[in-house]
Amino acid sequence: MMWVLLPTNTYKHKWLPKLKSRFSSNYFGKQGVMMLIFTFPPLLVAVLSCVYLHLAAKLKPTAKKSDDEEKETRVLATWRKPMLVKGPLGIVTGIELAFLVMFVVLLFWSLFTYFSSSFKSIDATDPAFLGGLKKQLKLDLGGLWLGLVGNICLTLLFFPVARGSAVLQFFGLTSEGSIKYHIWLGHAVMTFFTAHGICYIVYWALMGQMSQTLKWSRSEISNVAGEISLLAGLGLWATTFPRIRRKMFELFFYTHYLYIVFVVFFVFHVGFTYACYMLPGFYLFLVDRYLRFLQSRRHVRLLSARILPAAGQTLELSFSKSPGLKYSPTSVLFLNVPGISKLQWHPFTVTSNSSLETDELSVVIKGEGKWTKKLYEMVSSSAAADHHFDVSVEGPYGPASTDFLRHETLVMISGGSGIAPFISIIRDLIFTSSHLQLKTPRLILISSFKTTADLAMLHLLLPITAASSAATANLRLTIEAYITREKQAAATSPFHNNNVRTKWFKPSPTHAPISPILGPTASWLWLAAVVSSSFLAFLVIIGILTGYYIYPEGKKHGEAGFPMALTAFLYMLVLCACVAAASSGAFLWNKRKSGRDQTIQIRNVEGATPTAGGSPAGGGAVYEMTEELESLPLRTIEEATNLHYGVRPNLRKLLVEYCTEGGSTGVMVSGPAGLRHEAAAICSSGLADDSLQFESISFSW
């Protein structure tokens, strides 16, 4: 009787016919049918999302919204209000809470259905037939069901981290805002998989079959592969908890590469066919990851840096970009500096506006960790401008569209370096006001700083160009700046005692402007072509491989069949090859088309670049113009700023005051968790009915 109770495989062949449990036919169904059932619909949605986003970009609505559309917007805004503010989940909106509850119900319903149906069948079976091993069999099946429910979570795990995926933007999500979903799903996956592994280890110990831990089956479930996958997942999981992640970020970053081991051995464990549950999300992630790899292979041209030593070692780096690269406010750019680390990538908010500054892209970086402080030292050193500065980028990534004009008042609340996303919003509204001649909302910027020296961050709010400086006259901007660690103002204006330096960098012929990965005009259609063509090629090749090699070779070995691990390896190899071929083809085609324009742009920029000493190559005009123009936005900022010393902003009082002015009031918060939680609690308290519409901007939750 002992051999009958071997886990999973024996249950499939011996217990399933006898107990007549309710199994999904897909779990033991034919390979081809199952592969199409679980991969085709999600990938079709991804392709259609690309087409939708392409058409939406071409057919942007310019007319004023109808009454029905306004009503729909207000209803949606109500659902986006924070429902949960504090706790392990952080800030959760009504829509997120609704989907979270439905997903948790799905998981518990699945567990209940699996457990109840199989346990009832076991209880109804003759005890003599089971040989007194009823509890052991229940433990065996319980471990199986926990693994199956864990796979439901794994199915969605990779969707939120596919940064350039059309699926996220189709549903109005951003990669930055979706990180918390990845975290939630990751905790759920590892909880179920850990319980799954513990159940089987206990089962094998009770049955005296610990040798099963070393079993690698030729044609069935591989226990060793599952254990390796679980250990890799546990190593990754251990470093994701907030305290460890914040104190040892590098450890967290490097252990996250264990996801490769986790996924590969998971496929070896269950076989490629059953892994199709999670294939669509991982497939889109794989396409996105390879395209990002292609983009990061070439170093980009760093034009200049504005250095603010007083404001906590803050930099604004300006890169050359192609005019065809368009992005939305609050977009994020990932930077890699090989001189610091060849593996580390760090996200920073893009502060420039792609329409206002057509040839430049800027990010703000504050020295708050080892990597950023090292970058500040390298950029601010006297020898930096005499050498080529190698930087690679991925992105930018941001929302498909923004609609700040729907608000009468836009309140932006920041703490420290959290002001960076609002720089891009302000510059976007400058362009909207000056070039599109549209009415913009009243802007209220509430910023907290530790010292007066940190006010230098306000120098970055407005771009240094004559046209944009003149356009700020139509901008209704009020800045409430709170200096929390100083009791009184200095004798001189803090805006006049600045030590802002602009440093220009030596150009390199191998450096290129930042450009769209798949071209400026039809990038979404190219992405749809990459996803669809690579998947079709994958299906054709594995069909040929299976029909002419795997199946004939399997027949030669009789019941043993073709090794399941080798089948999984060949399928994964073909999958990666198809993704690489389709992505590389699309990338190189667009690179060849845009190469000529980039060459012309590089030559034009090189002719206008100052030398390391500050004197322009052409005789001094460029550098002097920059110094003169920098005072223009500075005067505008000084006139718009109200300084408050020794106090923190009373957000409740301020928000209630602004929302009573009438119309919709958008509230955007970027900064420490406490600041975001406070603002979210006020917006969800009902003090201002539905007029306060909250949005949090943060990678942490």
Side-chain angles (χ1 to χ4, degrees):
M1 183 61 67
M2 295 287 290
W3 65 272
V4 178
L5 294 174
L6 292 177
T8 307
N9 300 330
T10 304
Y11 178 80
K12 169 184 173 182
H13 297 293
K14 303 294 183 181
W15 290 103
L16 181 58
K18 292 181 180 293
L19 300 178
K20 297 180 180 180
S21 298
R22 296 178 181 176
F23 279 83
S24 170
S25 61
N26 293 328
Y27 183 67
F28 301 118
K30 294 182 179 180
Q31 294 185 5
V33 174
M34 183 175 176
M35 188 176 297
L36 288 176
I37 286 176
F38 290 105
T39 57
F40 180 73
L43 293 181
L44 178 62
V45 171
V47 171
L48 293 179
S49 298
C50 291
V51 176
Y52 170 82
L53 291 172
H54 174 76
L55 295 177
K58 294 292 184 181
L59 305 173
K60 289 183 178 180
T62 55
K64 185 178 180 181
K65 291 184 178 180
S66 64
D67 293 339
D68 291 339
E69 291 175 329
E70 290 288 350
K71 183 178 180 181
E72 183 180 346
T73 301
R74 288 194 295 269
V75 172
L76 188 60
T78 302
W79 277 95
R80 287 177 174 172
K81 293 185 68 173
M83 295 296 178
L84 299 178
V85 176
K86 296 182 179 180
L89 298 180
I91 300 173
V92 181
T93 65
I95 295 178
E96 292 172 338
L97 184 61
F99 278 95
L100 179 61
V101 169
M102 288 189 288
F103 186 70
V104 171
V105 169
L106 170 65
L107 297 182
F108 279 100
W109 175 81
S110 301
L111 276 177
F112 175 78
T113 303
Y114 289 147
F115 275 88
S116 62
S117 61
S118 58
F119 284 10
K120 285 179 182 178
S121 299
I122 293 173
D123 292 334
T125 305
D126 185 2
F129 176 77
L130 297 176
L133 298 175
K134 182 183 294 186
K135 292 182 178 179
Q136 287 87 334
L137 179 58
K138 287 185 175 180
L139 185 61
D140 176 16
L141 296 181
L144 174 63
W145 304 139
L146 287 168
L148 291 180
V149 175
N151 287 333
I152 298 175
C153 304
L154 184 62
T155 300
L156 303 175
L157 181 65
F158 289 96
F159 281 104
V161 289
R163 298 173 192 162
S165 169
V167 175
L168 291 180
Q169 298 203 25
F170 176 75
F171 289 103
L173 301 173
T174 63
S175 59
E176 168 242 330
S178 301
I179 290 295
K180 62 181 178 182
Y181 309 139
H182 177 70
I183 296 173
W184 296 350
L185 290 166
H187 286 311
V189 166
M190 290 313 304
T191 298
F192 283 114
F193 281 0
T194 303
H196 167 76
I198 291 174
C199 282
Y200 275 113
I201 291 175
V202 173
Y203 170 77
W204 291 328
L206 292 176
M207 298 296 293
Q209 299 175 353
M210 291 303 293
S211 61
Q212 288 290 323
T213 58
L214 302 177
K215 180 181 178 181
W216 190 301
S217 175
R218 176 184 176 87
S219 58
E220 298 291 351
I221 298 296
S222 172
N223 298 334
V224 174
E227 291 154 8
I228 295 174
S229 178
L230 180 59
L231 289 175
L234 290 173
L236 187 155
W237 191 27
T239 62
T240 61
F241 294 93
R243 289 187 178 179
I244 298 176
R245 186 178 74 243
R246 291 166 186 163
K247 292 183 179 180
M248 296 179 286
F249 178 80
E250 291 186 1
L251 178 64
F252 159 79
F253 181 86
Y254 291 125
T255 54
H256 242 62
Y257 283 104
L258 288 173
Y259 81 87
I260 301 174
V261 179
F262 173 80
V263 171
V264 169
F265 281 90
F266 170 80
V267 177
F268 286 154
H269 175 55
V270 300
F272 190 88
T273 304
Y274 184 64
C276 287
Y277 271 102
M278 52 79 68
L279 180 60
F282 187 73
Y283 192 88
L284 295 177
F285 169 78
L286 190 63
V287 171
D288 176 73
R289 186 66 191 87
Y290 188 73
L291 287 173
R292 289 192 278 124
F293 167 78
L294 293 176
Q295 184 190 22
S296 65
R297 289 308 85 199
R298 189 172 185 181
H299 295 146
V300 297
R301 171 94 196 278
L302 177 61
L303 297 175
S304 64
R306 277 206 281 179
I307 303 171
L308 288 72
Q313 297 184 343
T314 299
L315 299 169
E316 183 186 46
L317 302 182
S318 295
F319 299 93
S320 173
K321 84 169 186 70
S322 64
L325 176 62
K326 302 295 182 182
Y327 48 86
S328 301
T330 71
S331 293
V332 173
L333 186 75
F334 285 77
L335 296 185
N336 171 264
V337 181
I340 302 177
S341 171
K342 293 183 178 180
L343 293 178
Q344 287 192 39
W345 291 83
H346 292 263
F348 300 99
T349 304
V350 177
T351 56
S352 55
N353 178 266
S354 58
S355 299
L356 193 65
E357 300 148 284
T358 57
D359 296 327
E360 292 186 18
L361 184 149
S362 303
V363 296
V364 169
I365 302 172
K366 189 171 184 179
E368 294 180 334
K370 293 181 180 179
W371 191 92
T372 51
K373 289 181 178 178
K374 180 65 176 177
L375 177 63
Y376 179 86
E377 293 174 0
M378 292 175 63
V379 172
S380 59
S381 66
S382 57
D386 296 326
H387 299 84
H388 302 311
F389 203 87
D390 293 335
V391 182
S392 297
V393 303
E394 291 179 358
Y397 306 102
S401 62
T402 55
D403 190 12
F404 303 121
L405 301 184
R406 72 182 187 273
H407 301 298
E408 293 293 332
T409 304
L410 187 61
V411 181
M412 300 170 289
I413 305 171
S414 70
S417 58
I419 196 175
F422 303 138
I423 299 176
S424 64
I425 294 175
I426 291 174
R427 294 188 183 185
D428 179 69
L429 293 175
I430 290 175
F431 175 79
T432 302
S433 173
S434 60
H435 293 74
L436 303 182
Q437 302 298 317
L438 296 176
K439 181 182 177 182
T440 58
R442 179 190 176 193
L443 299 179
I444 310 294
L445 176 61
I446 304 173
S447 293
S448 296
F449 303 97
K450 292 180 180 179
T451 64
T452 302
D454 293 333
L455 289 173
M457 288 287 291
L458 297 178
H459 289 100
L460 307 178
L461 284 179
L462 305 178
I464 310 175
T465 62
S468 60
S469 298
T472 58
N474 298 326
L475 197 67
R476 297 178 295 163
L477 173 64
T478 301
I479 303 173
E480 303 291 344
Y482 290 80
I483 296 88
T484 58
R485 295 188 180 180
E486 294 181 5
K487 298 297 184 182
Q488 58 184 6
T492 59
S493 171
F495 295 98
H496 296 160
N497 292 330
N498 66 82
N499 190 25
V500 180
R501 294 183 293 130
T502 300
K503 177 172 288 189
W504 298 85
F505 293 93
K506 186 177 180 180
S508 170
T510 61
H511 293 179
I514 302 175
S515 57
I517 305 176
L518 297 176
T521 57
S523 58
W524 288 120
L525 294 183
W526 275 106
L527 181 59
V530 168
V531 173
S532 56
S533 63
S534 60
F535 185 67
L536 289 175
F538 167 70
L539 292 179
V540 171
I541 294 175
I542 65 170
I544 297 172
L545 183 66
T546 303
Y548 291 93
Y549 176 68
I550 294 178
Y551 181 71
E553 287 293 321
K555 289 184 66 176
K556 294 179 182 179
H557 294 87
E559 292 185 2
F562 196 84
M564 187 176 74
L566 181 56
T567 302
F569 173 76
L570 292 174
Y571 280 13
M572 287 190 287
L573 188 63
V574 171
L575 179 69
C576 294
C578 290
V579 169
S583 302
S584 299
F587 176 79
L588 293 175
W589 178 271
N590 283 281
K591 182 179 179 181
R592 187 180 66 175
K593 289 177 62 178
S594 61
R596 182 177 179 181
D597 295 336
Q598 289 186 7
T599 302
I600 295 173
Q601 184 184 4
I602 291 174
R603 289 173 180 172
N604 291 339
V605 173
E606 285 178 357
T609 301
T611 62
S615 300
V622 174
Y623 187 78
E624 291 172 2
M625 182 181 67
T626 301
E627 290 295 316
E628 180 182 354
L629 287 175
E630 190 150 10
S631 65
L632 296 178
L634 190 59
R635 288 197 296 269
T636 303
I637 293 171
E638 183 177 10
E639 294 170 358
T641 303
N642 299 317
L643 299 177
H644 309 269
Y645 288 88
V647 294
R648 297 183 180 276
N650 186 338
L651 295 182
R652 179 177 294 270
K653 178 182 177 182
L654 291 171
L655 291 178
V656 171
E657 175 185 341
Y658 294 133
C659 73
T660 56
E661 297 178 0
S664 171
T665 301
V667 179
M668 306 184 72
V669 188
S670 175
L675 183 68
R676 289 182 281 115
H677 292 167
E678 181 184 358
I682 296 170
C683 293
S684 62
S685 63
L687 290 177
D689 299 326
D690 295 330
S691 60
L692 290 179
Q693 300 179 21
F694 176 83
E695 181 178 348
S696 175
I697 304 176
S698 176
F699 266 99
S700 60
W701 51 287

